[in-house]
Amino acid sequence: MNMSAILIAIATAALLSLLIVPVAVRLGHRFNLLDLPVRHKRHKRPTPYTGGLALFAVFWLTIIVSTVMFDDAFGAYRDQLPWVFVASLLICIGGFLDDCYHLNEWKKLTIQIISAVILLAGGLKAQLLTTPSGSLELGWLAYPLTIAWVVMLTNAINIIDGLDGLATGVSLIAACFMLVIGSHHDIGAILVFVCALIGFLSVFWWHNKYPAKVFLGDSGSMQIGFLFAVISLGHPLKSFTASALYLPMLALGVPILETVSSTIRRVSAGKSPMKADRRHLFHYLALAGLTPRQVVSVFYGLGLIFGGVSLAMLYWNRLILLGILSVFMLIVFGVFFVLISMTLTRRRPDSGSDRPPGSRRTGRK
């Protein structure tokens, strides 16, 4: 995929977003699709949660435009687009129903698993397990691992969507690094997906930053995570040098870090890993005294660090870099542990009075 096609795809998504996002905001107010500033919520005014509907429209219109303008934009993956469309539509609908009616975690999990199975039916699956020292053919394990991977990434962005601009900004940073890595490996078909996300997120961020005028909602955050999963699965690795799976996913280190820490914490406490709570890392940073903008900036910085490491691995020794990254992550966890310990001695993190401005109690994260 050449540079002109990349720029056209990004510009198309951005222009469509400039038109569609304001419409989604107005529709949210018109049809009362609003996250209300009631008990336990700190945003000051009713805010539409229609960002996911705008994302779906912008993303797939961009795909259609790219398909029409560039015959070889998707190559062998053109036949898989209908499967991705149906699966992403299911994710969007499921997320939107959750925004409206607050589905329980098992219903959402079922929707995510069905979407992953649809991808498998369309031929998208993890074929190799990639490590810094080589790669391993998965065989029949490709099926359960693909489902687990899709479910994890679908929830990863949803988990960090708790502060205005947080999920949007972190996703935009990750997508930009994915674009650079994908260009390096000349993964043309998948770059269109990345470009569509970059175009949308770059515009939506201005509407979603603190104080947000519109929220992604579950329909938006789950879609972004799902599309990242599709991007990671869309290019079957034939050699370790391709590195098309784990390098882009390293750029998603922030939401994956939050997902892993939340899962470990909930399981250790004897709770369901799907059970929502208000003990995420960004909550504790806010309770430690950081403003919403400062908390978001910290996570943006972490996103840039993870993305920078993913780029560095293209040129330098990966084992050494992973060692450095592991030490860095231990330091990060140590800092967070200290903050959590300090916070727990002073206040209850689940109390409504402790929730920071710009955060949202959705009952889902």
Side-chain angles (χ1 to χ4, degrees):
M1 188 175 181
N2 57 42
M3 183 57 65
S4 61
I6 290 175
L7 293 176
I8 289 174
I10 294 175
T12 299
L15 290 173
L16 287 170
S17 299
L18 288 171
L19 297 173
I20 293 176
V21 172
V23 173
V25 174
R26 289 195 293 270
L27 288 176
H29 287 288
R30 171 67 177 82
F31 293 101
N32 201 34
L33 304 173
L34 304 171
D35 194 346
L36 301 176
V38 293
R39 183 173 176 265
H40 297 309
K41 299 187 180 183
R42 290 298 185 92
H43 55 283
K44 304 299 184 182
R45 57 189 177 186
T47 305
Y49 47 75
T50 48
L53 303 182
L55 168 60
F56 185 85
V58 169
F59 182 86
W60 285 103
L61 285 174
T62 301
I63 298 303
I64 291 172
V65 171
S66 298
T67 303
V68 172
M69 293 187 64
F70 307 102
D71 292 335
D72 61 343
F74 293 97
Y77 296 100
R78 184 184 291 265
D79 293 339
Q80 294 175 329
L81 287 180
W83 298 90
V84 178
F85 174 82
V86 172
S88 62
L89 176 61
L90 181 58
I91 290 290
C92 180
I93 293 174
F96 187 69
L97 290 175
D98 186 34
D99 291 325
C100 295
Y101 304 110
H102 303 293
L103 304 180
N104 66 50
E105 59 267 24
W106 298 111
K107 290 180 180 178
K108 290 189 293 183
L109 179 61
T110 299
I111 291 171
Q112 294 164 9
I113 291 175
I114 293 173
S115 298
V117 171
I118 291 173
L119 293 182
L120 286 170
L124 283 170
K125 63 179 183 292
Q127 299 186 24
L128 296 181
L129 179 64
T130 308
T131 69
S133 59
S135 54
L136 176 68
E137 290 283 351
L138 290 175
W140 66 268
L141 285 174
Y143 297 96
L145 288 179
T146 296
I147 293 174
W149 183 249
V150 171
V151 170
M152 185 186 76
L153 285 189
T154 299
N155 286 292
I157 304 300
N158 180 250
I159 282 177
I160 65 169
D161 187 25
L163 288 174
D164 296 350
L166 177 56
T168 304
V170 168
S171 298
L172 177 58
I173 291 170
C176 288
F177 280 109
M178 286 182 177
L179 177 60
V180 176
I181 294 169
S183 298
H184 178 85
H185 292 307
D186 194 24
I187 309 173
I190 302 308
L191 286 184
V192 181
F193 280 41
V194 178
C195 292
L197 277 177
I198 290 175
F200 171 81
L201 291 170
S202 60
V203 172
F204 188 81
W205 180 83
W206 289 97
H207 298 271
N208 184 238
K209 66 178 182 177
Y210 180 77
K213 300 179 181 65
V214 61
F215 296 151
L216 280 170
D218 269 18
S219 62
S221 58
M222 286 170 56
Q223 269 189 93
I224 293 173
F226 177 80
L227 291 172
F228 278 138
V230 171
I231 290 167
S232 70
L233 296 172
H235 185 72
L237 301 181
K238 298 303 181 183
S239 68
F240 170 65
T241 57
S243 304
L245 179 60
Y246 85 92
L247 287 187
M249 288 305 99
L250 188 56
L252 276 172
V254 171
I256 290 177
L257 178 69
E258 178 64 80
T259 301
V260 172
S261 65
S262 296
T263 300
I264 293 174
R265 172 172 45 76
R266 291 167 182 170
V267 171
S268 300
K271 299 179 180 179
S272 167
M274 296 290 293
K275 186 67 175 178
D277 58 34
R278 309 304 298 178
R279 298 177 182 269
H280 297 297
L281 300 179
F282 54 85
H283 290 136
Y284 284 108
L285 285 176
L287 292 175
L290 275 67
T291 67
R293 289 188 177 91
Q294 289 172 333
V295 174
V296 170
S297 296
V298 168
F299 277 82
Y300 287 176
L302 288 174
L304 290 171
I305 290 173
F306 278 109
V309 172
S310 71
L311 288 184
M313 284 188 175
L314 294 175
Y315 307 103
W316 295 319
N317 187 289
R318 292 178 178 128
L319 287 175
I320 293 176
L321 287 170
L322 275 182
I324 295 173
L325 182 63
S326 298
V327 173
F328 170 75
M329 290 177 65
L330 286 175
I331 294 173
V332 170
F333 271 116
V335 172
F336 280 130
F337 177 78
V338 172
L339 288 174
I340 290 171
S341 299
M342 292 173 58
T343 302
L344 288 176
T345 61
R346 292 182 299 167
R347 60 186 80 182
R348 294 178 57 192
D350 280 327
S351 71
S353 60
D354 290 333
R355 190 160 289 106
S359 68
R360 306 185 294 280
R361 177 183 172 90
T362 62
R364 300 184 295 275
K365 307 298 184 290

